[in-house]
Amino acid sequence: MPESFTTPLALAGLSHHIADIATLEAFRFPDEVAFLHEARERFKGVLLLQTCNRVEVLVEGDARSLEAFLQELGRKDFMVIGGADVPRHLLELAAGIDSLIVGEDQILGQLKQALATTEEVGTCSGAIKLCINKAVHVGVRIRRQTQINRGAVSVGSAAVTLAERLLGTLRDRHILVIGSGEMGLLVTQALAAKGLTAIYVANRTYERAVVLADKIGGRAVNFKDLYRYIALSDVVISCTAAPHPVIRTEEVRGVMEKRLWPLDPHPRHLVLIDIAQPRDIEDEVRSIEGVHLFTIDDLRSVNDAAMDSRRSEADRARGIIDEELDHFIRLLRRAAADETLALLYTWAESIRARERDRALARLGEEDTRTAAIIDDLSRALTKKLLSDVTTSIRSSAECGDMERAETLVRAITRGELCFHNDE
C-alpha cells in the first residue's frame, strides 16, 4: 500500500508520557462544549478526549492548522501528529498500551463518551465517528485475544496498590473514598477484598454514595461530614469530577490536630491519594506534618511493575494493530471517496431529474403510472452509467490516489481530463 494518506486528520495534546499532573491540569479545557463549538468554526469535525492522564484533540483537518489553533488558545509544548500516524495512535490508545496503567479498560468507555459528547454537541464528522468506532472495535478485539488487561489494571486499582505499598497492608485500616463515579466504583471494588475495618464513601449527592457503599458493604458519608471522616481514616482516595479542590489545606490542618493524642509527639500519619483531574486536593497540604499526598504522577511505579508482566501481551497487541492498520486506512480513504462521489451523484441527479421532466412534458401526459416508469428508467440508467466510474473512484481512493479520483469526477462533471504525464 502506498505511504500517502489522503484523509485530513490531525491529533494534538498532552499525555502522561510528556507531562506531569500540573501541566496536564493547566492544559485542560474546563468548558468542553464551548471548546468544541469554537473548534468547529475551524475544522470540519472535532473531538475532545480528557482523562486523568491525557488531554487530546482530534480534528478532521490538517496538523498545522490544529497546532496554530491550540497556540491561539494559549496552549504550548504539546505533541501534534497528522495523516496515517493518527489512526495508529488511536489504535494504540484503545488497546491500552499507551495508557498510564498498561491494559486498562476505562479508555474504551472514555472514547465512547467523547464520541457521544461530540455527536450531541454537533461537532462530529463522518471521519471522526469512523475513527473512534474502529479504534474501540480493535481495542475490544485485543482484549479478547490477549491478556493485556489481566489483573488490576485501572488508575483506581493502581491507587489501591499504591496505598497498600505505603502502609504495608490495608487489613484493619479505615479508608475514605470521595467520588461515586466510574473511578470511585473501581477504587471501592479494588478495596473490597483487602480486609479493611471500614470503607467510607462520600459524594456530594448522598444518594449516590449510598448506592456505591451498598455495593461493597461500606458506609455512605454525608458530604458535610467529610472532614470528620478524613480524621477517622488512614487513607483517603479522592476521585471526584469537581472543577475545583474539595479538600483544602486549612481544613486538613484542623483534621491533623485531632489526630494528635496528648502524649504523642507527632500526629498519626494520613495518606491522601488524589487521582482526579483536575485535582481534588490542594497541593499545599504537603506542608502539614503527618500528611503524605500522592497524585497520578506517583502511579507510574505501579505501571512500571504492570508493564513488566504485560510486555509480551503488549507486543501481541501491537501485532494486531499492525494487522488492523491497513484496513483502518482503507476505510478512511473510502470515506473520503464517498464525499467525492457525493458530488458526482448530486451532479448526475440534477441532470436526470431535468431530462425526466423534459420527457414527461413532451409526452404531455399526466398519467402517474407513465411518470413512475420514466422516473424508474432514468434512475436505473444513471446508476448503470456511473457504476464503473464509482468502482474506479473508490479503488483509486483506497490506494491513496485521491487526485486521480477527483480528476475522474472533474472529467465527467466539467469535461476536465488532466492526468499526470506518467499515467
Side-chain angles (χ1 to χ4, degrees):
M1 177 178 295
E3 293 297 320
S4 59
F5 184 77
T6 55
T7 303
L9 289 173
L11 185 145
L14 289 179
S15 72
H16 61 95
H17 292 297
I18 59 175
D20 59 20
I21 192 69
T23 305
L24 276 168
E25 197 170 71
F27 194 88
R28 288 178 67 85
F29 298 94
D31 190 336
E32 294 192 9
V33 173
F35 169 79
L36 289 170
H37 280 306
E38 187 172 0
R40 187 65 173 85
E41 296 178 1
R42 302 276 285 271
F43 304 101
K44 185 173 182 179
V46 56
L47 176 139
L48 176 62
L49 176 66
Q50 297 195 125
T51 73
C52 56
N53 52 56
R54 73 178 62 247
V55 179
E56 295 183 352
V57 182
L58 171 66
V59 302
E60 185 171 353
D62 65 273
R64 185 173 297 179
S65 297
L66 177 57
E67 182 177 14
F69 174 67
L70 292 178
Q71 287 173 343
E72 289 172 15
L73 296 179
R75 303 315 193 267
K76 59 182 180 179
D77 300 328
F78 49 86
M79 67 92 178
V80 185
I81 57 175
D85 290 335
V86 175
R88 176 175 287 278
H89 174 77
L90 291 173
L91 292 181
E92 291 177 349
L93 185 60
I97 60 178
D98 194 64
S99 298
L100 175 64
I101 307 301
V102 174
E104 55 98 358
D105 293 332
Q106 287 64 54
I107 188 61
L108 295 177
Q110 290 161 345
L111 284 168
K112 290 178 183 177
Q113 182 56 53
L115 178 59
T117 299
T118 197
E119 288 183 313
E120 182 180 338
V121 174
T123 62
C124 192
S125 69
I128 285 180
K129 185 174 183 179
L130 188 157
C131 280
I132 301 304
N133 285 335
K134 177 63 175 178
V136 170
H137 171 78
V138 175
V140 171
R141 178 192 168 189
I142 285 171
R143 284 164 179 79
R144 286 175 177 167
Q145 296 183 4
T146 73
Q147 296 185 26
I148 196 168
N149 61 338
R150 181 177 58 182
V153 287
S154 72
V155 170
S157 57
V160 174
T161 300
L162 177 61
E164 196 166 29
R165 286 183 185 177
L166 295 169
L167 298 178
T169 179
L170 296 182
R171 183 166 295 278
D172 300 327
R173 302 285 188 174
H174 291 68
I175 292 189
L176 169 63
V177 178
I178 307 174
S180 61
E182 180 185 10
M183 194 68 74
L185 176 60
L186 293 169
V187 170
T188 52
Q189 287 175 337
L191 288 170
K194 298 297 182 180
L196 298 164
T197 297
I199 303 177
Y200 307 119
V201 180
N203 193 70
R204 286 197 181 278
T205 304
Y206 180 71
E207 291 74 17
R208 294 188 63 183
V210 170
V211 171
L212 181 53
D214 287 346
K215 286 182 179 179
I216 46 89
R219 178 175 178 176
V221 171
N222 207 307
F223 214 77
K224 65 182 178 62
D225 297 324
L226 181 65
Y227 289 100
R228 174 189 166 201
Y229 282 90
I230 290 177
L232 293 173
S233 300
D234 299 293
V235 178
V236 176
I237 302 178
S238 194
C239 49
T240 78
H244 50 69
V246 298
I247 299 178
R248 302 188 180 278
T249 305
E250 288 310 308
E251 284 81 353
V252 174
R253 200 180 305 278
V255 163
M256 296 308 289
E257 291 174 359
K258 297 176 182 178
R259 295 169 68 89
L260 180 62
W261 294 95
L263 298 180
D264 288 345
H266 304 288
R268 290 183 296 120
H269 292 286
L270 175 63
V271 175
L272 303 177
I273 301 178
D274 187 352
I275 55 175
Q277 181 59 266
R279 285 175 288 181
D280 278 342
I281 305 174
E282 290 183 340
D283 200 62
E284 291 76 11
V285 301
R286 297 179 187 274
S287 64
I288 302 173
E289 183 182 8
V291 175
H292 306 276
L293 174 63
F294 300 89
T295 67
I296 292 171
D297 288 339
D298 299 297
L299 299 182
R300 296 179 193 276
S301 61
V302 178
N303 176 56
D304 291 342
M307 190 64 219
D308 288 341
S309 65
R310 298 191 183 93
R311 198 171 302 279
S312 62
E313 299 305 310
D315 289 341
R316 290 181 62 195
R318 289 188 179 92
I320 294 173
I321 288 172
D322 289 339
E323 176 187 326
E324 290 276 5
L325 187 60
D326 280 355
H327 181 244
F328 195 167
I329 291 175
R330 285 186 180 277
L331 287 176
L332 287 167
R333 287 171 173 168
R334 173 170 285 198
D338 287 342
E339 293 186 16
T340 300
L341 284 170
L343 297 175
L344 174 63
Y345 277 79
T346 298
W347 169 85
E349 173 61 18
S350 66
I351 295 175
R352 183 198 72 82
R354 184 182 67 222
E355 296 305 317
R356 174 205 61 195
D357 293 343
R358 283 182 178 176
L360 290 173
R362 288 175 63 188
L363 288 171
E365 296 184 15
E366 296 184 1
D367 179 34
T368 55
R369 184 170 180 274
T370 300
I373 291 173
I374 292 178
D375 186 67
D376 288 343
L377 175 62
S378 63
R379 289 182 187 278
L381 285 173
T382 302
K383 184 176 180 180
K384 290 285 187 182
L385 290 170
L386 294 180
S387 176
D388 288 344
V389 73
T390 296
T391 300
S392 296
I393 288 171
R394 283 186 171 148
S395 177
S396 296
E398 287 186 15
C399 293
D401 192 355
M402 275 302 297
E403 184 177 352
R404 181 182 181 86
E406 291 168 354
T407 298
L408 285 169
V409 172
R410 287 197 302 270
I412 296 170
T413 60
R414 304 179 194 172
E416 299 177 10
L417 185 58
C418 183
F419 291 109
H420 293 300
N421 292 331
D422 57 352
E423 295 187 5

